[in-house]
Amino acid sequence: MRLTLRVWRQRAADTDGALSTYEVDDISPDMSFLEMLDVLNERLILEGEDPVAFDHDCREGICGACSLVINGEAHGPERTTTCQLHMRSFRDGDTIDVEPWRAAAFPVVKDLVVDRSAFDRIIQAGGYVSVPTGAAPEAHATPVPKADADFAFEHAECIGCGACVAACPNGAAMLFTSAKVNHLAVLPQGAPERETRVLDMVAQMDAEGFGGCTLAGECATACPKGIPLVSITGMNKEWLRATRRAGKR
Amino acid sequence: MALATRTDRRPSRARTLWDSSVGKKTVMAVSGLIMLLYLVVHMIGNLKIYFGAGEFNHYAHWLRTVGEPFMHYEWTLWLVRIVLVVAVVAHATSAYQLSRRDLRARPVKYAHRRGRSSYATRTMRWGGVILGLFIVWHLLDLTTGTVHPGFQEGHPYQNVVGTFSTWYGDLIYIVAMLALGLHVRHGFWSAAQTLGAGSRTRDRALKATANILALLLTAGFIAVPVGVMTGVVS
Ligand code: HEM
Ligand code: SF4
Ligand code: FES
């Protein structure tokens, strides 16, 4: 395949950037999107140019590091991560626009790499359970109903990639935060911190400068792990419950 | 080893609500639903125009005497007005503050634009502004009569016919009611999500209710200028 790429190039956080055009040839439809960028970068290095910086780690769809907006869609046209997107999703001769996640809370570090540590701080604010860890506990000591376990697992699937923020017209982190809040709220291990967790995580989310939810639904469409929009409804419910109870503690 | 216990005090409930994006959205949802409830009642009341001047004016007079003898003349009406003003101000203030936060959170647009979300979703902000301006015009037109040539205090039937006998009266009103339909279509469903009442199983029912409410409100309100334009009401 022969493709024209228009890639966001930005030397550093405090410099201006622009889209640069590159032609790539001999791309196999079986390559992943990142492998296609590797081909481009090998050539750029040989030509003595600065290679395109982009985030990646596992390349198997589980770490959440890869983060590209491809033709205006977070993680591109398929419902998967950029590393699991294959070039067969494009056609020979296509022009493809590649941009970084755009959000005030995710500043560009270089080219296509953004700083997502705002997510880490949201997790630090409450996305944990304070239990003594040691040897693995007896699995039947704390029974969890199957439906609750499934619900928790569905939300635990979030890999923290930030596609939801990138897709949201308001740069909101509601889907990410709701995934973690819902995951821990139904489990017995999460019960002691149920109220403080949601209050603190939402407060941190606001403090980081993410936008609010207008229920446009773009986040759930972009999420590679299928976290549903109704998770946000669930978090709103948790937040209201915690606010009602906060006075009693 | 015992873990340290958190002892820090939290801000009051009202503070938490107003300072949080989720809380402010709750204010929007509750104030929106209050206005919505009022609009349903208002729309049904307006349809009495089809039963003639006597019945319509009598209804308007009754609005001032509801609750008597417990309430004094116009007390109930003023109570409703106060609740509505508080709702409109709370709704508009939260809308403004939340919108500013949203725009700041996404300062750089994507070079590759895509068509996204439904029309009703995208027009909430401008639709809201249109509704706000309409509310002001509507009060000056049919409540105070400030912008209404030939306004007669205490004769609402004649005033309504007067307004809808002008082309601009019809135009402003119909455009505003179409904007209202779109706003309610996304707003009612959104409010359910904001208040945590939505769920996977209830989603279709909520969307259907939002559509029906939007349609009934728009059609019901527009029936009045249409009645005057077609001469059924004169
Ligand atoms: C003063 C004029 C108004 C303005 C400026 C305004 C603006 C807005 C905005 C910006 C939103 C948020 C949109 C979003 O989440 O995407 C909204 C939501 C809403 N509006 Fe209004 N609006 C106005 C009047 C009304 C009226 C008259 C009603 C009554 C039917 C109403 C009912 C609602 C409801 C129910 C919501 C949903 C709240 C939520 O998302 O939880 N609004 N409005
Ligand atoms: S909710 Fe989905 S899109 Fe958002 S961070 Fe988690 S996995 Fe990524
Ligand atoms: S590189 Fe790990 S999810 Fe894509």
Side-chain angles (χ1 to χ4, degrees):
Chain A
M1 297 168 81
R2 186 186 174 80
L3 300 162
T4 306
L5 301 175
R6 298 202 306 157
V7 183
W8 183 262
R9 302 303 311 261
Q10 182 173 340
R11 284 189 159 276
D14 52 1
T15 58
D16 286 341
L19 286 174
S20 297
T21 306
Y22 303 96
E23 304 284 339
V24 284
D25 210 346
D26 283 336
I27 297 298
S28 152
D30 294 332
M31 282 181 181
S32 74
F33 200 86
L34 299 185
E35 284 167 334
M36 182 276 293
L37 288 179
D38 292 339
V39 170
L40 169 67
N41 274 347
E42 278 170 10
R43 196 190 81 206
L44 291 179
I45 292 168
L46 286 178
E47 289 169 358
E49 279 189 58
D50 197 18
V52 178
F54 60 87
D55 261 329
H56 63 109
D57 188 21
C58 70
R59 295 210 178 190
E60 52 183 87
I62 54 170
C63 75
C66 55
S67 51
L68 301 180
V69 171
I70 301 160
N71 284 343
E73 290 185 273
H75 291 309
E78 310 283 342
R79 189 173 199 155
T80 185
T81 53
T82 302
C83 58
Q84 292 294 300
L85 174 69
H86 291 86
M87 296 316 293
R88 51 181 168 268
S89 301
F90 300 89
R91 270 177 310 193
D92 190 29
D94 273 0
T95 298
I96 306 174
D97 290 343
V98 191
E99 299 173 75
W101 278 181
R102 293 288 187 202
F106 286 168
V108 172
V109 175
K110 185 177 188 212
D111 295 340
L112 302 169
V113 177
V114 298
D115 179 357
R116 280 170 285 183
S117 37
F119 267 14
D120 300 340
R121 290 187 291 271
I122 294 177
I123 294 294
Q124 281 162 15
Y128 51 77
V129 291
S130 300
V131 290
T133 53
E138 157 62 32
H140 293 294
T142 316
V144 180
K146 175 80 167 88
D148 290 354
D150 287 349
F151 180 88
F153 190 75
E154 184 187 1
H155 291 93
E157 277 190 64
C158 167
I159 51 176
C161 63
C164 43
V165 175
C168 176
N170 312 319
M174 293 285 281
L175 197 67
F176 164 75
T177 311
S178 73
K180 193 45 80 185
V181 164
N182 286 320
H183 162 202
L184 297 176
V186 287
L187 294 177
Q189 292 87 343
E193 285 147 323
R194 184 167 170 186
E195 287 88 22
T196 50
R197 174 180 307 113
V198 61
L199 293 175
D200 291 343
M201 288 182 81
V202 167
Q204 189 63 35
M205 187 184 85
D206 285 345
E208 295 292 346
F210 290 105
C213 182
T214 53
L215 292 148
E218 294 292 329
C219 54
T221 309
C223 174
K225 297 296 160 183
I227 307 293
L229 187 60
V230 72
S231 292
I232 293 178
T233 311
M235 178 167 76
N236 290 337
K237 194 171 173 183
E238 277 295 313
W239 191 89
L240 289 170
R241 177 182 174 279
T243 308
R244 271 199 311 276
R245 292 181 165 223
K248 297 195 193 129
R249 298 194 161 234
Chain B
M1 189 196 77
L3 291 164
T5 312
R6 290 193 61 152
T7 50
D8 49 322
R9 283 183 59 87
R10 290 183 174 275
S12 72
R13 253 179 260 189
R15 261 277 130 235
T16 310
L17 207 70
W18 191 248
D19 284 349
S20 162
S21 64
V22 175
K24 217 164 264 182
K25 187 85 173 163
T26 309
V27 173
M28 291 209 71
V30 172
S31 55
L33 290 178
I34 291 172
M35 291 190 280
L36 186 59
L37 182 70
Y38 167 78
L39 288 179
V40 171
V41 177
H42 188 31
M43 185 271 288
I44 296 171
N46 284 359
L47 290 178
K48 305 199 84 175
I49 196 114
Y50 278 97
F51 299 111
E55 192 159 339
F56 191 74
N57 288 348
H58 178 248
Y59 159 69
H61 180 70
W62 171 81
L63 287 178
R64 283 149 180 85
T65 59
V66 226
E68 285 183 12
F70 181 72
M71 298 298 249
H72 185 64
Y73 181 74
E74 283 198 350
W75 274 15
T76 311
L77 185 65
W78 275 104
L79 200 70
V80 173
R81 284 174 175 169
I82 290 167
V83 170
L84 284 175
V85 167
V86 171
V88 172
V89 171
H91 196 80
T93 312
S94 327
Y96 174 75
Q97 295 184 357
L98 285 174
S99 300
R100 281 210 40 187
R101 156 179 280 279
D102 295 347
L103 294 174
R104 266 203 310 265
R106 178 42 100 56
V108 186
K109 302 275 164 272
Y110 290 110
H112 191 112
R113 303 266 174 115
R114 280 184 327 117
R116 52 150 73 102
S117 55
S118 80
Y119 191 71
T121 312
R122 276 182 287 127
T123 50
M124 286 306 271
R125 286 180 197 144
W126 281 110
V129 170
I130 290 178
L131 288 177
L133 292 174
F134 171 75
I135 293 170
V136 173
W137 180 82
H138 189 58
L139 291 175
L140 294 177
D141 180 36
L142 288 169
T143 305
T144 65
T146 318
V147 297
H148 192 122
F151 183 79
Q152 296 169 270
E153 184 80 48
H155 295 279
Y157 184 92
Q158 289 73 8
N159 292 334
V160 168
V161 172
T163 289
F164 295 134
S165 303
T166 61
W167 66 266
Y168 58 87
D170 291 321
L171 187 72
I172 294 175
Y173 196 83
I174 290 172
V175 167
M177 291 309 106
L178 293 175
L180 176 71
L182 286 174
H183 201 81
V184 168
R185 183 171 182 221
H186 182 67
F188 179 79
W189 176 81
S190 292
Q193 311 309 316
T194 302
L195 299 175
S199 76
R200 256 178 262 239
T201 43
R202 236 176 279 157
D203 203 52
R204 279 170 63 130
L206 281 171
K207 282 201 167 123
T209 312
N211 286 343
I212 292 169
L213 260 178
L215 211 65
L216 281 182
L217 272 181
T218 306
F221 276 123
I222 288 184
V224 178
V226 167
V228 177
M229 284 154 82
T230 54
V232 177
V233 175
S234 59

